[in-house]
Amino acid sequence: MGIRRHFLLLSLTLIAACSPGSSSNSSSPTPNDDQRKTGTGESAHGVINGQLWNFRSGRAYLKKSQPNFMIVQLWNDPISKPCQEKTGSILQMRLTAPNEVGTWTITPEDPFNANLSIFFADLDFELQPRDNMRADHGEITFLSIDKDQVSGVVIGSFQNPRVGGTRVTGDFAVPFCP
């Protein structure tokens, strides 16, 4: 009987120690959805095809064929009149997501959803037709959308052995162009 009592006491101690109400010594809290959606506090930055990339300008507009979807272009060059720009910068990103405040996840399980995507571009790189630099993992968050500006957060990455490292994360705010 002594072994059973000892085992029961040990089990109850472990259950109490692991219960949700117990305190943890972890010093780094896990961000919840509300914290993550408030922005990173840093402008979008990273690498595209192995080259440093920093968000400097861009624009947002409605997708012509589906006005309930927004397209956001992010460039690493400062462009004074982004709504009139034809090509953007050599290294750039294009985000497509619903025209509403919210968060959308890019996953490899849905590779054909062109309405929800993050594309990376290096206009100096000679890609083969099958080397599309479409993010295989990512997240697009639109924090605010008004008649003048779209702001949000992007996290995206693309992996292909024929393309340099590609991953970008951070905040953006761009003019909304008619």
Side-chain angles (χ1 to χ4, degrees), residues 15-59:
I15 289 170
C18 295
S19 70
S22 68
S23 64
S24 169
N25 291 335
S26 174
S27 62
S28 58
T30 305
N32 62 31
D33 285 339
D34 293 336
Q35 291 170 322
R36 190 180 65 212
K37 291 178 185 175
T38 59
T40 64
E42 292 185 52
S43 288
H45 64 283
V47 291
I48 294 179
N49 195 18
Q51 300 173 64
L52 289 178
W53 184 90
N54 291 295
F55 167 66
R56 298 285 185 250
S57 63
R59 66 177 165 207

Side-chain angles (χ1 to χ4, degrees), residues 48-49 51 90-92 120-127 133:
I48 294 179
N49 195 18
Q51 300 173 64
I90 299 298
L91 299 175
Q92 58 182 280
F120 302 96
D122 177 352
L123 300 181
D124 284 341
F125 187 60
E126 298 284 330
L127 285 174
M133 292 197 331

Side-chain angles (χ1 to χ4, degrees), residues 11 19 32 36 54 59 66 84 97 101 112 132 155 172:
S11 296
S19 70
N32 62 31
R36 190 180 65 212
N54 291 295
R59 66 177 165 207
Q66 294 176 300
Q84 298 172 6
V101 171
F112 298 108
N132 226 346
I155 301 166
F172 63 87

Side-chain angles (χ1 to χ4, degrees), residues 45-53 91-93 118-122 125 127 131-138 155-169:
H45 64 283
V47 291
I48 294 179
N49 195 18
Q51 300 173 64
L52 289 178
W53 184 90
L91 299 175
Q92 58 182 280
M93 297 177 66
I118 300 172
F119 280 95
F120 302 96
D122 177 352
F125 187 60
L127 285 174
D131 293 341
N132 226 346
M133 292 197 331
R134 184 172 194 252
D136 34 30
H137 292 319
I155 301 166
S157 66
F158 171 75
Q159 294 181 341
N160 183 314
R162 294 176 281 188
V163 176
T166 300
R167 64 193 163 282
V168 171
T169 184

